[in-house]
Amino acid sequence: MRHMTQETLSWLQLILAERFGHDFQLQGTDAGFVRLSLAGSGLGSIEIAADPGTFRRADSALAFTTWDALAEDWQPVLRGPLPAPGLARAPSPLIEATPTGYRIHYDVLGLSYWMLSRQEEVGRTDLDNFNRFPASASHARKHGYLERPVVDEWLHILGQVIRRQWPELQLRQLQASMKVSHDVDVPSRYGFGSVARMVRRMAGDILIRRDVRSVLQAPSIRMKTRTALHPTDRVNTFDWIMDVSERHGLVSAFYFICGRTDPSKDADYEPEHPAIRGLMQRIHARGHEIGLHPSFNTYQAPAAVQAEANRLRRVCEQEKIEQEVWGGRMHYLRWEHPTTMLGWEQAGMTYDSTLSYADHAGFRCGTCFEYPAFDPVAGKALNLRIRPLIAMEGTVIGYMGLGTGEAAWKKFRELKDTCNAVNGCFTMLWHNSTLASTAERDLYQAVIAH
């Protein structure tokens, strides 16, 4: 197979149109390149090397090298040489002028396909204890570029080639942004679930967290959460979160669990509960977003994702909550590719924001831009958007062992600065239940404000 399928090329054309603001045509050539031309223009073209043999692989054993863009008079958007997955050695020159345009001797489009479609993850068995594909097994982590949006870096170079080829063309001006979301795993410390679970939490609060005050309040919180969340419940941070977001011009998205496929891992509340209905009403009234957090074992069951999405919509309809956009994230970041993605599409959801690694923050998809989903098994675009997740607080604080002090702040800042450098979107997950301490709140506010 020398070239990508037309379906794949059409999807990549859409990616380029969204990024650059113009319609480009992509067509394979007999010389092993893909020709990029400007729709409706006969003013030359850009030829891009095609290496489908490399970028159709569902493994992480690709060759790797780097390319010094500055040495060839191209401006990298980040410091240092560009990562070049799939190449054992960078050609010299990697980009050269031709009589009719330019020729790029690296498969930028193939790399974009491989990273954005998550071809690397198809059929993988080297999973963690929650059956997730871990960062430690990925090509990006093994070769040290997980914290770089490698697709965005190469598209930045492609944009420079496009401007030199068509200097009169005005490319889309991108603007850095930030999105914050909150998985509602525990909306109340003691208000829901069995008495046995409440007692276990009380024991943990005394023995581990030394939080005597919360334990003394537990019976009162339990009794008074029948109609609304208790204001002194330490995980009832929803109004505080919305206050912070509103001060900084942000919209918070709150993702609710609407099923129970594993009693020990899923939430202990029901979306129909009066206190949860009231919370949803308050979120909507303040202009924030409600979304879905599919339960623990739905990642391999598209029909279950659809059923839980329908349940959420039904509750919202009963509460007269209307939204144009419906999205969310998988519980525990569990993901089987492309099965989980198909569940989101079948549920009629607008976007998914699961794709980050639990064990290391960074750019799992190689980008910080939202983009249309693609099924690499069926070879077709989906009616779904992928909103890459760049950092989860539990990853930085816990898995990466950085705590809630300066080291964690520095990592969040580095990732956010990287997104800003490519004028992309820094998407962050922070659970409402991980804002109980002063240190957690201070760190959260510092990340938001930076």
Side-chain angles (χ1 to χ4, degrees), residues 361-427:
F363 301 88
R364 180 171 177 170
C365 302
T367 184
C368 50
F369 288 84
E370 185 177 302
Y371 63 92
F374 190 87
D375 179 352
V377 174
K380 65 176 184 178
L382 302 180
N383 188 25
L384 177 74
R385 307 279 297 178
I386 297 296
R387 181 178 294 175
L389 174 63
I390 309 306
M392 174 176 73
E393 99 284 0
T395 299
V396 175
I397 295 171
Y399 279 93
M400 296 173 69
L402 300 182
T404 56
E406 182 66 23
W409 156 233
K410 181 179 179 182
K411 182 56 61 182
F412 279 116
R413 185 183 62 196
E414 288 172 353
L415 292 166
K416 190 174 181 180
D417 286 348
T418 297
C419 294
N420 290 341
V422 297
N423 289 318
C425 182
F426 176 63
T427 302

Side-chain angles (χ1 to χ4, degrees), residues 29-50:
T29 72
D30 292 335
F33 288 83
V34 170
R35 182 179 293 113
L36 184 154
S37 57
L38 182 61
S41 170
L43 302 176
S45 63
I46 299 168
E47 293 183 333
I48 304 171

Side-chain angles (χ1 to χ4, degrees), residues 17-317:
E18 289 189 0
R19 186 63 59 94
F20 298 123
H22 293 276
D23 292 329
F24 296 97
Q25 298 297 318
L26 298 176
Q27 183 179 13
T29 72
D30 292 335
F33 288 83
V34 170
R35 182 179 293 113
L36 184 154
S37 57
L38 182 61
S41 170
L43 302 176
S45 63
I46 299 168
E47 293 183 333
I48 304 171
D51 186 10
T54 293
F55 292 117
R56 289 285 179 171
R57 293 173 54 170
D59 61 54
S60 302
L62 277 64
F64 179 77
T65 190
T66 59
W67 174 61
D68 186 353
L70 285 172
E72 295 190 26
D73 196 29
W74 302 96
Q75 296 298 316
V77 69
L78 300 177
R79 292 182 179 179
L82 271 72
L87 283 182
R89 182 175 60 85
S92 182
L94 190 137
I95 303 174
E96 63 176 340
T98 68
T100 58
Y102 286 87
R103 180 170 292 161
I104 303 174
H105 293 282
Y106 177 56
D107 192 355
V108 177
L109 299 176
L111 170 69
S112 300
Y113 165 83
W114 192 70
M115 292 296 298
L116 300 179
S117 74
R118 303 310 302 136
Q119 173 76 42
E120 178 183 13
E121 300 185 28
V122 175
R124 297 295 287 263
T125 58
D126 46 346
L127 309 177
D128 69 8
N129 58 329
F130 290 117
N131 287 330
R132 300 174 298 199
F133 180 62
S136 57
S138 71
H139 189 271
R141 180 77 174 123
K142 290 177 178 178
H143 293 281
Y145 64 92
L146 178 57
E147 294 185 23
R148 298 181 62 156
V150 62
V151 172
D152 300 334
E153 291 187 71
W154 278 101
L155 290 184
H156 177 77
I157 295 295
L158 179 59
Q160 293 177 54
V161 181
I162 289 172
R163 282 191 290 271
R164 290 193 191 183
Q165 176 64 29
W166 298 291
E168 302 301 320
L169 195 64
Q170 296 296 314
L171 300 186
R172 173 169 289 157
Q173 296 298 307
L174 304 171
Q175 187 171 358
S177 62
M178 180 178 184
K179 290 186 181 296
V180 290
S181 53
H182 319 277
D183 295 349
V184 186
D185 298 344
V186 185
S188 172
R189 184 66 180 162
Y190 303 113
F192 305 103
S194 66
V195 173
R197 178 173 281 193
M198 184 184 79
V199 171
R200 286 195 299 272
R201 286 181 175 172
M202 291 171 68
D205 285 343
I206 290 176
L207 299 175
I208 300 173
R209 284 169 284 276
R210 303 286 192 252
D211 188 358
V212 177
R213 180 182 177 186
S214 289
V215 172
L216 293 176
Q217 291 178 326
S220 175
I221 290 173
R222 179 78 172 186
M223 292 295 294
K224 294 181 179 180
T225 308
R226 292 176 177 174
T227 57
L229 296 180
H230 197 281
T232 64
D233 192 323
R234 68 184 181 87
V235 301
N236 179 12
T237 58
F238 300 99
D239 284 304
W240 184 88
I241 289 170
M242 289 187 282
D243 289 344
V244 173
S245 287
E246 289 163 14
R247 283 200 299 271
H248 295 280
L250 299 172
V251 173
S252 274
F254 298 90
Y255 302 145
F256 289 86
I257 293 179
C258 294
R260 196 166 295 161
T261 52
D262 186 315
S264 68
K265 298 291 192 301
D266 288 322
D268 54 11
Y269 67 89
E270 307 294 344
E272 294 85 2
H273 191 285
I276 300 301
R277 288 177 181 268
L279 173 59
M280 290 184 183
Q281 288 175 341
R282 194 160 72 252
I283 290 168
H284 181 66
R286 292 185 62 166
H288 298 274
E289 181 187 339
I290 293 167
L292 180 67
H293 195 39
S295 58
F296 187 74
N297 284 319
T298 58
Y299 74 112
Q300 295 175 317
V305 175
Q306 184 174 4
E308 294 183 10
N310 289 341
R311 186 181 181 188
L312 175 64
R313 289 196 185 98
R314 185 165 57 250
V315 172
C316 287
E317 182 179 354

